Amino acid sequence: MYLQKMFSCSQLLARPNALQTFKRAASQGKMPLARAHGKSFAHRSDLRQAKRIVVKLGSAVVTRGDECGLALGRLASIVEQVAMLQNQGREMMIVTSGAVAFGKQRLRHEILLSQSVRQALHSGQNQLKDMSLPVLEARACAAAGQSGLMALYEAMFTQYSTCTAQILVTNLDFHNDQKRRNLKSTLHELLRMNIVPIINTNDAVVPPPEPNSDLQGVISIKDNDSLAARLAVEMRADLLIALSDVEGLYDSPPGSDDAKLLDTFYPGDQHSITYGTKSRVGIGGMEAKVKAALWALQGGTSVVIANGTHPKVTGHVITDIVEGKKVGTFFSEVKPAGPTVEQQTEMARSAGRTLASLEPEQRSDIICALADLLTERKDQILSANKKDMEHAVSTGRLSPAMLKRLSLSSSKLNSLSIGLRQIAVSSQDSVGRVLRRTRVANNLELEQITVPIGVLLVIFESRPDCLPQVSALAIASGNALLLKGGKEAANTNRILHELAQEALSIHGVKDAIQLVSTREEEEDLCRLEKMIDLIIPRGSSQLVRDIQRAAKGIPVLGHSEGICHVYVDHEASVDKAIKIIRDSKCDYPAACNAMETLLVHRELLRTPLFDQIIDMLRTEHVKIHAGPKFASYLTFSPSEVKSLRTEYGDLECCIEVVDSMQEAVDHIHKYGSSHTDVIVTENEDTAEQFLQQLDSACVFWNASSRFADGYRFGLGAEVGISTARIHARGPVGLEGLLTTKWVLRGEGHTAADFSEQGSMTYLHENLPVARVLPGRRTTS
């Protein structure tokens, strides 16, 4: 085994060194070039540029719960991540605990074995019992465990063709200039040879820390936290990742009722922190970690403290941090000018509750004021939009369809203003509407009332007109709103958000709508499950899929695909079929309600109707893909479709042949996305069967699929189209942003009153529905 390890390391040493590998990857655009050290990263997203990284593994991370032995599965996943980053061309170093735990396991085993042998010799066949273990001295455990710990690391890293080297240090190694230079030289040489140094304090001989040495501006090595910080600064590391058994830094001890995880910690915030007890093992604590982190930060190394023990995140915690994801607590010297996204969400929720308590007329006033501002300030809006358009055109990153969505005009703003006024009218009877009243018993009445959902997060791409629409719907439904727009519309979104807040200020609820302008990734926003109640993505199918995948604990309202079908029955009208197909495909091909697959009854093949359909599509420059059955009828067919489950989003469509209406329904159920599907026929019975059997969100008879739209449905506007089987399906307007609560009014009633010994009986009488408003009630 030893020879195998030596051979593996010799192969590694023969490779190009890590620095050359890193530069080559950087020159190809795969990795960032080395940056000048001296200043830490300002934002999490910058961590992707980290080249030299120190990973500190606390005792709680590497040891088992019984403190005897190592957590092998956890350690293996950490090794895998470190090896992956090393093989990307980064320079990785590990500061590890675990020697004491490993040695304790080994010594306990030896002592138990020795005791059992002695008892067997002195007691014959007597049962072994009452074998007590002596208290094991930590230095002895460390001496016994160091070799085994290192052998384990070697074996694990060898699986990834990565060589390691062990370095044991003490505080004196850093206080002696010559020893410190030797240590740095050794580490630099190891990194140059693409070897992962594994560093630990030499706990077998470590002396007690020197008193007050920190006061001289140099942190003393009291534990592995201070060792990792000192090493990171000495080696000019870009990033220090400190893994422990807590999620990060809290503003009060974890587990307390009001404890909040701090996403980012800034120097000077120490006064707002209350520290709890240290972990079950190790000699440090959170206070020691923060002290070490701030010292490293001052030395130019960025720091993240995160949980390395959670089974759901351990397998990717290190790589997530390096990718800039919101994991643990990030230490930064740059404090943002505005509030954090967490603070924005709290501000929105607080103002949203006030918004929900306003009179309906007051919410309507706000929406009408926003509608007025869209036309009064149109020059300001269009000027901002022009900047976004010019930047988008110059970069060339947006498709023509996306550019069209980004563009605003006077007519578009006028249409938006009209739509907002429709919402203002409908908002008069939304929040506080009684859906059901029941007299449960005498003087005991139950009501089901509409209420806002809470805090909505709407993520949208290249559609600044979405901002006032969604804002109006949120105001009408009394919901707080968090908006995350695409950077391609940054200028337009900013001015539109300012107008929305100006309108909200009329009744003192300016903060109910917040625009996230910080460098937050969508995936990070989706992790705010304790602060956000519903996510609504507006954009490409890829965006919706990404949000649905990232939002583990928050419901998502939307659709990931718009694979809409038009089925032309053999009893279809020629004129209706041509009009509907043209509008469904060609009016706006990029829309989610555009036709993607045309299903044709087999009897229509080689008829004038079918020829007219093909001629019309060719005239409109629609590229046709043949389905498998359709291709089999043709001698020279168009390109055969690669998948019947394709959303083209352009002037392209698939044509497939079916033998009956039932086969068309079966095809749609198999390949559709439950968005919008259409039948064209003059046979009423066939149409009714189609409408009843198909379970899509929108099912139309002799009407274009483009009618699947909130404005065309008379909803005023929509926040999106949902294909889920939740409370809202299809175009979601005001009603889809409401939920309900139950209100019970009694006079000292108890459940015991209705027991066998009680004197009351249930009535459960339905009562006339009443309207509930803040401060008064009226019967409708």
Side-chain angles (χ1 to χ4, degrees):
M1 184 65 183
Y2 178 76
L3 289 175
Q4 289 178 341
K5 291 179 183 177
M6 290 296 294
F7 178 69
S8 174
C9 284
S10 66
Q11 286 182 312
L12 290 168
L13 293 176
R15 297 179 181 178
N17 65 55
L19 185 59
Q20 291 173 337
T21 303
F22 191 90
K23 286 182 176 178
R24 184 169 57 254
S27 66
Q28 296 170 354
K30 298 178 182 179
M31 288 288 295
L33 285 167
R35 68 188 186 98
H37 191 82
K39 194 170 183 180
S40 60
F41 294 119
H43 305 283
R44 276 187 183 269
S45 57
D46 297 331
L47 296 180
R48 298 186 184 98
Q49 302 173 32
K51 171 191 172 183
R52 183 170 292 172
I53 302 171
V54 176
V55 178
K56 181 262 174 181
L57 306 179
S59 300
V61 175
V62 298
T63 60
R64 298 195 317 234
D66 60 4
E67 302 177 23
C68 293
L70 304 182
L72 296 179
R74 194 184 301 151
L75 203 57
S77 66
I78 290 171
V79 166
E80 181 179 13
Q81 294 171 79
V82 171
M84 184 181 76
L85 293 172
Q86 177 81 3
N87 291 331
Q88 286 178 1
R90 303 182 197 265
E91 297 174 347
M92 305 298 296
M93 293 179 280
I94 294 178
V95 175
T96 183
S97 302
V100 173
F102 199 97
K104 187 182 291 186
Q105 179 189 36
R106 181 177 177 185
L107 292 180
R108 279 188 174 185
H109 180 268
E110 293 295 328
I111 292 170
L112 285 173
L113 182 62
S114 176
Q115 286 181 345
S116 64
V117 170
R118 285 200 300 270
Q119 279 199 5
L121 291 174
H122 289 86
S123 305
Q125 299 299 318
N126 290 345
Q127 290 186 345
L128 303 179
K129 58 183 180 179
D130 298 329
M131 288 193 298
S132 59
L133 285 171
V135 177
L136 298 175
E137 206 271 332
R139 289 188 177 88
C141 292
Q146 283 288 0
S147 59
L149 177 65
M150 193 59 207
L152 181 63
Y153 272 119
E154 284 186 6
M156 287 183 171
F157 273 105
T158 300
Q159 303 302 312
Y160 303 98
S161 301
T162 302
C163 193
T164 59
Q166 181 184 27
I167 296 181
L168 297 176
V169 298
T170 67
N171 198 19
L172 297 178
D173 295 325
F174 289 93
H175 283 278
N176 183 290
D177 290 341
Q178 185 59 47
K179 287 185 177 181
R180 190 169 71 253
R181 285 195 294 270
N182 291 343
L183 174 62
K184 289 174 64 175
S185 175
T186 300
L187 289 170
H188 279 296
E189 184 64 13
L190 292 173
L191 294 176
R192 188 188 69 80
M193 294 188 293
N194 204 24
I195 294 174
V196 176
I198 298 177
I199 305 106
N200 194 2
T201 53
N202 191 354
D203 294 327
V205 298
V206 65
E210 296 182 7
N212 301 324
S213 59
D214 288 346
L215 299 180
Q216 302 169 11
V218 179
I219 191 168
S220 63
I221 310 302
K222 301 181 180 71
D223 48 47
N224 275 344
D225 294 311
S226 52
L227 169 61
R230 183 69 186 270
L231 187 74
V233 173
E234 291 282 352
M235 292 299 295
R236 303 170 71 85
D238 300 315
L239 173 62
L240 166 60
I241 300 174
L243 298 183
S244 183
D245 57 351
V246 291
E247 303 300 323
L249 181 59
Y250 289 79
D251 57 0
S252 56
S256 59
D257 291 339
D258 298 326
K260 292 182 180 178
L261 178 66
L262 300 178
D263 167 61
T264 308
F265 185 77
Y266 306 98
D269 286 352
Q270 295 96 312
H271 64 277
S272 62
I273 303 299
T274 303
Y275 296 103
T277 58
K278 70 182 187 68
S279 63
R280 58 179 171 81
V281 290
I283 60 175
M286 186 52 72
E287 189 171 4
K289 289 176 176 57
V290 172
K291 185 176 181 180
L294 291 175
W295 191 87
L297 187 68
Q298 187 179 14
T301 297
S302 295
V303 183
V304 175
I305 296 177
N307 192 337
T309 63
H310 198 294
K312 291 186 178 180
V313 300
T314 301
H316 48 81
V317 60
I318 298 174
T319 52
D320 281 354
I321 290 170
V322 176
E323 288 172 8
K325 295 181 181 178
K326 269 197 172 183
V327 179
T329 300
F330 171 61
F331 286 71
S332 174
E333 293 183 296
V334 180
K335 202 161 190 174
T340 65
V341 68
E342 290 84 2
Q343 291 170 334
Q344 283 185 294
T345 308
E346 290 177 355
M347 292 162 57
R349 185 180 290 280
S350 178
R353 286 173 176 149
T354 305
L355 174 67
S357 68
L358 295 178
E359 298 284 347
E361 293 81 4
Q362 292 175 306
R363 288 192 294 271
S364 180
D365 289 344
I366 295 172
I367 299 170
C368 288
L370 178 56
D372 291 338
L373 288 170
L374 289 179
T375 53
E376 291 171 5
R377 309 276 181 85
K378 66 178 180 181
D379 291 340
Q380 200 174 345
I381 298 170
L382 295 177
S383 175
N385 186 246
K386 183 180 178 182
K387 292 180 183 177
D388 290 329
M389 288 293 295
E390 289 174 349
H391 182 263
V393 171
S394 64
T395 56
R397 293 177 182 175
L398 296 184
S399 65
M402 294 289 276
L403 283 172
K404 186 177 179 181
R405 290 183 178 185
L406 177 61
S407 175
L408 290 180
S409 62
S410 294
S411 60
K412 229 176 190 181
L413 292 175
N414 289 332
S415 297
L416 275 173
S417 181
I418 294 170
L420 263 58
R421 295 184 187 281
Q422 291 179 348
I423 297 172
V425 173
S426 63
S427 68
Q428 295 285 338
D429 191 33
S430 54
V431 180
R433 188 173 73 254
V434 178
L435 303 179
R436 180 177 177 180
R437 289 183 68 210
T438 304
R439 181 180 287 117
V440 179
N442 289 329
N443 298 317
L444 186 64
E445 290 188 8
L446 177 68
E447 294 176 331
Q448 186 182 19
I449 304 172
T450 58
V451 294
I453 289 174
V455 178
L456 312 177
L457 168 62
V458 177
I459 301 172
F460 56 100
E461 295 176 321
S462 302
R463 292 192 62 172
D465 58 329
C466 173
L467 194 152
Q469 288 179 339
V470 173
S471 297
L473 287 170
I475 295 166
S477 57
N479 284 292
L481 180 61
L482 204 63
L483 293 159
K484 172 65 173 175
K487 59 184 178 182
E488 64 278 352
N491 294 296
T492 315
N493 288 337
R494 184 168 54 253
I495 182 63
L496 290 173
H497 175 248
E498 289 173 0
L499 298 181
Q501 288 203 319
E502 184 176 335
L504 287 163
S505 299
I506 295 174
H507 292 293
V509 286
K510 174 184 175 182
D511 292 334
I513 296 179
Q514 298 285 330
L515 179 66
V516 179
S517 55
T518 56
R519 300 168 65 167
E520 303 290 333
E521 298 290 343
E522 285 80 0
E523 187 174 340
D524 294 330
L525 293 171
C526 291
R527 294 179 179 176
L528 300 175
E529 67 273 2
K530 294 182 180 179
M531 310 178 81
I532 294 171
D533 300 300
L534 179 67
I535 301 176
I536 305 172
R538 294 286 305 270
S540 65
S541 58
Q542 185 60 51
L543 170 71
V544 179
R545 281 194 295 269
D546 290 343
I547 298 301
Q548 289 173 333
R549 186 165 46 248
K552 298 287 172 41
I554 311 174
V556 178
L557 188 151
H559 64 282
S560 59
E561 293 176 307
I563 305 174
C564 303
H565 294 73
V566 173
Y567 165 57
V568 183
D569 187 54
H570 65 290
E571 297 181 76
S573 160
V574 174
D575 292 339
K576 291 178 184 177
I578 297 296
K579 284 177 61 180
I580 290 169
I581 294 169
R582 177 188 284 113
D583 190 70
S584 296
K585 179 71 260 184
C586 306
D587 176 61
Y588 191 3
C592 62
N593 57 10
M595 181 194 79
E596 303 295 359
T597 298
L598 174 63
L599 299 177
V600 180
H601 194 286
R602 179 173 51 82
E603 293 182 11
L604 292 178
L605 293 178
R606 300 184 178 89
T607 65
L609 171 57
F610 183 74
D611 293 339
Q612 289 180 52
I613 291 173
I614 298 299
D615 290 341
M616 180 274 294
L617 292 174
R618 286 175 175 166
T619 302
E620 297 289 344
H621 306 290
V622 177
K623 183 178 181 180
I624 297 173
H625 302 274
K629 288 185 67 175
F630 180 45
S632 67
Y633 286 99
L634 304 174
T635 305
F636 300 101
S637 69
S639 61
E640 189 166 340
V641 68
K642 295 180 180 179
S643 170
L644 290 169
R645 195 178 285 111
T646 301
E647 182 178 13
Y648 298 100
D650 206 343
L651 285 173
E652 296 181 64
C653 74
C654 167
I655 297 181
E656 183 58 311
V657 176
V658 292
D659 292 334
S660 64
M661 180 276 296
Q662 187 60 54
E663 188 177 332
V665 170
D666 294 340
H667 178 101
I668 295 170
H669 282 161
K670 184 174 182 179
Y671 299 108
S673 61
S674 300
H675 191 294
T676 301
D677 298 292
V678 177
I679 182 172
V680 184
T681 184
E682 296 301 300
N683 188 312
E684 185 175 351
D685 291 338
T686 301
E688 288 299 330
Q689 290 181 49
F690 184 89
L691 298 178
Q692 292 173 16
Q693 292 183 32
L694 206 58
D695 63 357
S696 299
C698 299
V699 189
F700 301 159
W701 171 23
N702 287 346
S704 168
S705 62
R706 293 280 290 128
F707 274 101
D709 177 83
Y711 181 79
R712 294 185 175 96
F713 277 14
L715 304 179
E718 65 179 35
V719 293
I721 294 181
S722 172
T723 56
R725 264 68 172 176
I726 56 175
H727 73 290
R729 288 193 81 199
V732 180
L734 179 57
E735 294 293 326
L737 300 182
L738 296 170
T739 183
T740 63
K741 71 177 179 182
W742 295 92
V743 176
L744 186 63
R745 295 181 174 88
E747 294 184 1
H749 294 76
T750 66
D753 294 336
F754 298 89
S755 64
E756 292 182 3
Q757 293 77 26
S759 59
M760 301 192 71
T761 57
Y762 289 110
L763 299 176
H764 293 150
E765 297 176 1
N766 292 328
L767 299 175
V769 172
R771 173 71 198 274
V772 175
L773 295 174
R776 69 180 189 270
R777 294 181 66 205
T778 59
T779 303
S780 61

